[in-house]
C-alpha cells in the first residue's frame, strides 16, 4: 500500500476516521518469515519509529490470525517480542531503553533525569527523558489530569530541547503496583 502524507493527515483528523498512529503490517520476507515488519505513521503524516500500544494491537491481530500465542514485530529500529497473556491482554517486550542524551535525543548534554521546562506560567520540574523506540519525557506529578495536554502538549513536544520532538507523559503514582498516566503523543 502506498499512501501520501496528505491522505494520512486527512484520515487522521478527528472529524474523519481519526487516529494517533496509522500502522501498516508490511510484507513478510522469505529470509525471516516469522518476523512481521510494520510501518508506523503519526496523524501528521510523519513516519515514526515506535508505538507501544499500536504494536500490542498488531500483535493481537497476528496472534489471532495465526492462532499463536506469540508474535515478533519489526519496527524501523527495534525487534519487539509479543506474547498473548489472555484473550485481550498482550505483553510486549519493548527492548532496552536508551538513556544517553544524544540517542534520546536531546539537543544538549544535560542530566536526562532532572529536566526542567518553563512554558508561560507553567514550570515543570524533574522531567525524566528516555528513548523506548521513540523519545519520551515523563513528569511525576500529584494529579496527572491537572494538565491540559491539548494546550501544553504541543509546546513541550516542540521544545528546543527535543530535536526530534517528544512524547509527553504526566504520571501519577497511585500505589506500589499502579501508575495513572496522561500522555501526549508527538
Amino acid at each position: 500500500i502506498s499512501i501520501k502524507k496528505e491522505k494520512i493527515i486527512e484520515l487522521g483528523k478527528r472529524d474523519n476516521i481519526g487516529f494517533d498512529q496509522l500502522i501498516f503490517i508490511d510484507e513478510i520476507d522469505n529470509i525471516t518469515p516469522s518476523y512481521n515488519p510494520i510501518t508506523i505513521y503519526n496523524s501528521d503524516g510523519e513516519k515514526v519509529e515506535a508505538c507501544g500500544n499500536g504494536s500490542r494491537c498488531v500483535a493481537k491481530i497476528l496472534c489471532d490470525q495465526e492462532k499463536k500465542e506469540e508474535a515478533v514485530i519489526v519496527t524501523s529500529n527495534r525487534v519487539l517480542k509479543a506474547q498473548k497473556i489472555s484473550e485481550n491482554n498482550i505483553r510486549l517486550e519493548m527492548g532496552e531503553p536508551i538513556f544517553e542524551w544524544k540517542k534520546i535525543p536531546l539537543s544538549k548534554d544535560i542530566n536526562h533525569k532532572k529536566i526542567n521546562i518553563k512554558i508561560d506560567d507553567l514550570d515543570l520540574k524533574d522531567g525524566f527523558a528516555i528513548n523506548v523506540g521513540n523519545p519520551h519525557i515523563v513528569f511525576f506529578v500529584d494529579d496527572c489530569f491537572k494538565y491540559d495536554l491539548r494546550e501544553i502538549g504541543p509546546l513541550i513536544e516542540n521544545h528546543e530541547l527535543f530535536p526530534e520532538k517528544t512524547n509527553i507523559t504526566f504520571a501519577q503514582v497511585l500505589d506500589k503496583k499502579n501508575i495513572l498516566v496522561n500522555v501526549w503523543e508527538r
Side-chain angles (χ1 to χ4, degrees):
I1 295 174
S2 177
I3 188 167
K4 293 186 185 283
K5 180 177 181 174
E6 295 77 24
K7 188 65 171 178
I8 294 171
I9 293 168
E10 177 188 331
L11 293 171
K13 290 181 180 176
R14 297 297 174 181
D15 61 350
N16 197 329
I17 294 171
F19 56 80
D20 289 328
Q21 283 82 29
L22 174 66
I23 302 176
F24 290 100
I25 303 173
D26 300 322
E27 278 190 58
I28 296 172
D29 62 41
N30 293 329
I31 299 168
T32 52
S34 63
Y35 282 44
N36 299 277
I38 62 174
T39 303
I40 308 166
Y41 294 91
N42 277 344
S43 59
D44 65 0
E46 294 297 322
K47 196 181 285 191
V48 293
E49 305 86 6
C51 174
N53 284 332
S55 296
R56 289 174 57 234
C57 294
V58 168
K60 164 103 170 86
I61 291 167
L62 294 171
C63 286
D64 289 351
Q65 284 181 348
E66 298 171 11
K67 298 188 180 2
K68 293 183 177 180
E69 300 301 311
E70 295 180 345
V72 179
I73 298 167
V74 181
T75 69
S76 64
N77 68 355
R78 289 184 180 228
V79 175
L80 309 173
K81 295 180 181 175
Q83 180 182 18
K84 189 173 182 179
I85 303 302
S86 64
E87 184 56 33
N88 292 312
N89 191 359
I90 302 292
R91 176 183 296 141
L92 186 69
E93 293 178 25
M94 296 290 294
E96 292 290 324
I98 298 169
F99 301 105
E100 185 182 332
W101 73 273
K102 285 183 182 178
K103 293 181 180 178
I104 290 174
L106 300 174
S107 61
K108 59 185 175 181
D109 184 2
I110 61 172
N111 182 350
H112 72 94
K113 298 177 189 176
K114 296 270 187 192
I115 295 177
N116 299 328
I117 294 179
K118 184 165 177 50
I119 297 173
D120 299 327
D121 294 333
L122 183 62
D123 198 8
L124 299 168
K125 301 278 188 198
D126 299 328
F128 190 100
I130 187 170
N131 186 314
V132 289
N134 54 15
H136 287 259
I137 186 161
V138 180
F139 294 97
F140 285 91
V141 295
D142 292 332
D143 179 359
C144 67
F145 292 105
K146 171 183 166 184
Y147 304 90
D148 183 356
L149 285 179
R150 286 188 208 129
E151 182 181 325
I152 65 171
L155 301 174
I156 300 169
E157 170 189 356
N158 293 289
H159 190 277
E160 65 185 16
L161 187 57
F162 308 109
E164 294 180 13
K165 301 184 181 182
T166 193
N167 296 298
I168 300 100
T169 300
F170 286 98
Q172 176 183 341
V173 177
L174 299 178
D175 55 48
K176 289 184 178 186
K177 293 185 177 183
N178 296 287
I179 297 174
L180 189 62
V181 297
N182 190 6
V183 179
W184 174 265
E185 298 277 349
R186 67 177 174 155

